[in-house]
Structures are given as C-alpha cells and as structure tokens.
Amino acid sequence: MARDIWENPEVSLEEVYASNLQAKVLEDAGLKVTLGLKGLPTALIAEYGNGKPVIGILGEYDALESLSQDSISKRKVRVEGGHGHGCGHNLLGTAGVGAVIAIKKAIERKELHGTIRYYGCPAEEELVGKLFMLRDGYFNHCDALLYWHPSSNNTPWRVPCLASTSIVFSFKGLTAHAPQAHLGRSALDAVELMNVGANYLREHLPREVMFHYSILGNGIAPNTVPDRCQSWYMVRAPKRSYLDETFPRLVDVAKGAAMMTGTTLENVEVLGGGNDMVMNQTLADLFVKNMNELNGPSFTDEDYSFAKEINKQFTPEQKSMGAQAFQIPPEYYDKDLLDEVVPVANVKVLPISGDADLSWVYPFGAFYCATWPIGVFTHTWQATACTGSGIGMHGMLFASKTLAGACYELMTDDNLMQRVKKEFKDLDLHYKVNIGADSVPRKVILR
C-alpha cells in the first residue's frame, strides 16, 4: 500500500487514489468505513468495536508539489513536473492502517474491549484537514489520539511544535496595456510591496516568529498590467498568542501596499493552521516502552548501504543540521541510519508545525520513526527517494507495531488510560477555534 501511494503521489485535497485504496483495504478487513466528510471528499474514518476507550490513530497521505524522484540514491526524476512523497505521508497513513487492522483482530479475538478508529486526514501540507475535521465534530468521544511521523530519528515527541497560520491575501487592481500603464493599477505591484513591507516587519516582531510566502500567479503576459494577484503566507511561532499579535500587523502591511498602488485588498482568507501542539507525556512514555520492546526498526544490509550512499552527498555540517532538525543528539552524528531508540534532545520546541488543534481538545501522543538517514531533511528529493525504499518501509512497519502496541496497552490497562486523561485534564486548556463556522477547505492553485 505504501509503495502504491508513493507511485501515485497526490497533493493536498486531491488524494483520491490514496484515500480510496485505504478505504477499500480497511473495509475488506471488516471495519466500518466512511469515505468523504463534510467539505473533504478525500477524508475517511474507519471504525471497529464499541464502548470505551475510543482510541483514534491519525493518518495522512498528501504528497508535495514537484518532488518527483525515483527510489535511488542519486537525483532522478520519475515524472517530469510530477509530485513526490518528500514528507513520507505514504508511510504515515499506511502504518496507521496496519495498526488499526491489528487491533481490530484483537478485539475480534475478545482480547480487547473498546473502539478503534483510523482517521485519514487530507491536506496536512496546507494545514487544513484535521482543523476542519475537528471543527465539524469527527473526533468526538475520543479518549486519546495517536500519531507518528517519518524522520531520521526514533524518539517520542515531548515538547510542543510551532503554532501556524496559512493565509492568502488577494489584491484587485485595474488592467491596462503596458504602453498605457499609467491608466492601470497593478495587483502584482501590491503583492510585491506587501512582501517588501513584511520583510521590514520582521525586525519588529519577536525573534521566534517566522513567516514564508509565495506569489500566486496572475496568468497575464508582461505587456499587460495585472488586475489580480495573491500572496500566500505561512506564519509560525512557538505560541498561538504570538500569531494573534502578528496577524493584524501583517494585514496592516497589506492595506498599506494597496494604498500605495491604488488597488484594493479584496480578501484576507485564513486557510488553516493550528495551535502549538500539546504533547501528553504519559503517551510519550508508552511509545518509548513499546519502541524499546521492539528493539528498533529491522533494517537490512541493503538499507544501510542505501543510507551511506545518500549521506555521501552531505558535508558534516549539513549532516549535523539535518540531525538537529529531528532532535538527534550529537553522539549519534557519526551514524548513517538510526536503528535504536534515542533519548530526547534538550530542545524547547520542535521546529515543525501542523494542523494540531486537536491536541488542545484530546490527549495526544506522537513519535518519530527513522525512515531516512541522518542528515536528510523533509521536503527534499532525498526524502522522497527513501520513502519509496526499504528504509522507509522498514521504518513504517516499526511505527505500525509501536502504534498497535500502545493501543493494546491503553485498551487493557484502565489505570494507564486514566493517567493519560488526568494529565490532559490537569493542563486546563482553553481552546478557541481558529477558523470560521462557514469556512471551507480549498486548494491553493500555484500558477
């Protein structure tokens, strides 16, 4: 399944092949499957069992634009202009499917009591899927949510991830032929001036706030003044409160750009995002226990050789930077491929973000499993190569067994489940929905 999804990569909100494949496998295994949720035709829920506890396993399957790559250690595009699984979501969701089917069989054998759910969550790369699923009540009654992500490390997540917001700023101007440009009002000028102003704004924001942007095309030749243009921003910070303070200032910059160009800031659309992710330490301990019982991923000699070839392309400095991105302590930097469970590095926040609001509403546990060598970053061709290789597959199987083992213990040890819930309750979190009741998930078109 993971290889099939890897060979048929689909970007956010277009994951038709992946969602249908997983839905069929889960249905054939005897789970009740719902494919297509409100506003999300590629989202799915598969469920088996009844009563408490209700354990949800989160899956994803969206690929990345223009990251097509063969599963070899050198750069080789599979499909010119094609997409690729440079974040390993072909593995992420499939591991969850495997774990859920294993737990379903244990419930059938009367070994377990409770309900297991698999959530196929689309459009994680655009910070959309889980946010809308949460708003619309699809996680209702869950006692805990479990998650993993491909990585170069085998370790639990114990510290928060970055809060994030995805925003599109739309400008409207007046078109004109270039020789009469004085009669036009350029929406592209407004976008470019907004981006300049935003870069000046950086100096006056907390250093922890970061943002990235892309200009969405207007489809007009250079001899025509463009009357439409958009700028797509992703803003990140360790705390949601930082973003709440940054957002209105960024909107003011956009308004100023519109004034300077005689255009109109037609729309400011929050597409998605998430709060800083809240990690349940009891669940993190449970993952470590299961990962250690499994003795790490079962990599082959071929996997180690593949990792060595990949790592020959990195300088020691590049390799250490890749290791730091996934909390790998320096004493492991001389390895090519991690096959052991690693203690958590001393960091305050994970430098990643996702549609993580559900961790403010339900106990949430997450961990990394090694699916590519130390030194590899996500969203690169090297990651795509590995997620279609033996390294990715063996790391995925390790993740699936870890998820299944954690589920099994949560369903057989009521005291453990109560500790998970008490830890979450003691945090006394107060969640505010970050999208409107009428908002709909949509695909951002890069032209």
Side-chain angles (χ1 to χ4, degrees):
M1 182 191 296
R3 179 70 191 195
D4 281 351
I5 294 172
W6 185 89
E7 289 179 351
N8 295 275
E10 301 159 308
V11 294
S12 294
L13 298 176
E14 298 178 5
E15 313 96 328
V16 175
Y17 181 89
S19 60
N20 276 275
L21 174 60
Q22 291 196 350
K24 183 178 187 308
V25 170
L26 288 159
E27 194 167 50
D28 289 348
L31 285 91
K32 177 186 175 183
V33 177
T34 302
L35 175 60
L37 307 180
K38 180 182 176 182
L40 293 166
T42 57
L44 71 93
I45 301 174
E47 182 175 285
Y48 189 84
N50 57 75
K52 292 284 191 174
V54 179
I55 310 298
I57 293 181
L58 306 175
E60 298 161 7
Y61 27 65
D62 55 331
L64 292 156
E65 301 259 0
S66 305
L67 265 186
S68 178
Q69 164 65 26
D70 205 348
S71 52
I72 61 174
S73 59
K74 296 180 180 180
R75 183 65 167 130
K76 183 182 179 184
V77 174
R78 288 184 73 242
V79 178
E80 200 63 42
H83 312 314
H85 277 282
C87 209
H89 293 182
N90 64 309
L91 308 171
L92 195 164
T94 303
V97 170
V100 167
I101 291 174
I103 294 299
K104 180 261 182 185
K105 291 180 178 179
I107 294 174
E108 276 186 314
R109 294 193 301 265
K110 310 295 185 185
E111 295 176 28
L112 303 176
H113 299 282
T115 305
I116 187 69
R117 289 181 187 165
Y118 172 75
Y119 289 95
C121 306
E124 189 279 335
E125 295 296 351
E126 293 194 10
L127 309 175
V128 170
K130 301 183 199 71
L131 199 61
F132 284 88
M133 292 167 71
L134 175 65
R135 183 200 64 182
D136 295 330
Y138 292 110
F139 296 102
N140 286 357
H141 311 301
C142 282
D143 292 294
L145 295 172
L146 310 184
Y147 179 76
W148 82 286
H149 201 286
S151 168
S152 53
N153 200 357
N154 303 297
T155 196
W157 293 11
R158 291 197 183 274
V159 296
C161 300
L162 298 170
S164 57
T165 302
S166 176
I167 320 154
V168 171
F169 296 87
S170 300
F171 294 87
K172 181 182 179 182
L174 181 65
T175 190
H177 187 214
Q180 290 85 41
H182 61 288
L183 299 176
R185 300 292 181 267
S186 172
L188 176 58
D189 286 354
V191 163
E192 291 190 308
L193 284 170
M194 180 197 170
N195 294 340
V196 170
N199 285 322
Y200 278 101
L201 177 63
R202 291 180 196 269
E203 181 183 0
H204 307 290
L205 296 173
R207 283 187 294 176
E208 297 88 351
V209 176
M210 64 185 81
F211 51 76
H212 339 279
Y213 55 79
S214 176
I215 296 176
L216 304 184
N218 50 64
I220 294 178
N223 63 347
T224 301
V225 174
D227 64 338
R228 299 276 180 176
C229 199
Q230 297 174 310
S231 197
W232 180 17
Y233 275 70
M234 288 192 179
V235 190
R236 307 174 196 265
K239 296 287 184 184
R240 166 57 55 181
S241 58
Y242 289 6
L243 299 186
D244 291 340
E245 295 168 5
T246 300
F247 179 74
R249 299 186 68 181
L250 200 56
V251 172
D252 284 344
V253 170
K255 290 177 179 176
M259 290 177 65
M260 284 189 286
T261 54
T263 60
T264 302
L265 178 59
E266 192 173 41
N267 192 31
V268 178
E269 181 184 9
V270 176
L271 298 178
N275 284 3
D276 35 307
M277 202 175 285
V278 179
M279 304 302 180
N280 189 284
Q281 303 304 317
T282 306
L283 289 174
D285 292 340
L286 179 61
F287 290 139
V288 171
K289 176 179 181 291
N290 280 272
M291 293 168 91
N292 281 321
E293 287 176 357
L294 291 163
N295 295 317
S298 300
F299 293 126
T300 65
D301 290 343
E302 184 179 355
D303 295 336
Y304 292 112
S305 297
F306 191 94
K308 187 176 290 293
E309 289 302 311
I310 289 283
N311 270 336
K312 284 179 181 178
Q313 302 167 46
F314 302 132
T315 66
E317 292 77 15
Q318 290 170 329
K319 186 178 177 182
S320 68
M321 289 171 61
Q324 291 168 33
F326 294 109
Q327 295 185 277
I328 299 175
E331 57 266 32
Y332 295 92
Y333 288 2
D334 61 335
K335 289 179 171 284
D336 289 312
L337 186 59
L338 269 179
D339 52 11
E340 57 195 289
V341 182
V342 174
V344 176
N346 184 25
V347 296
K348 293 182 179 179
V349 64
L350 288 175
I352 57 175
S353 55
D355 42 0
D357 284 25
L358 46 79
S359 70
W360 282 64
V361 185
Y362 304 98
F364 177 85
F367 61 97
Y368 280 135
C369 282
T371 56
W372 49 70
I374 296 174
V376 172
F377 283 95
T378 53
H379 294 217
T380 61
W381 70 260
Q382 290 94 342
T384 305
C386 293
T387 60
S389 75
I391 296 176
M393 302 303 156
H394 292 123
M396 175 194 68
L397 291 171
F398 177 54
S400 191
K401 293 175 182 179
T402 300
L403 288 167
C407 278
Y408 195 98
E409 294 195 47
L410 289 167
M411 287 184 161
T412 54
D413 187 343
D414 187 58
N415 288 331
L416 172 63
M417 189 73 252
Q418 293 308 313
R419 291 201 308 274
V420 168
K421 295 169 80 169
K422 182 180 185 303
E423 178 187 328
F424 178 77
K425 184 178 179 181
D426 288 348
L427 294 173
D428 193 27
L429 299 171
H430 301 278
Y431 174 63
K432 181 183 73 174
V433 179
N434 293 311
I435 50 174
D438 298 326
S439 299
V440 294
R442 76 173 182 88
K443 172 71 181 165
V444 176
I445 305 299
L446 297 173
R447 295 193 298 264

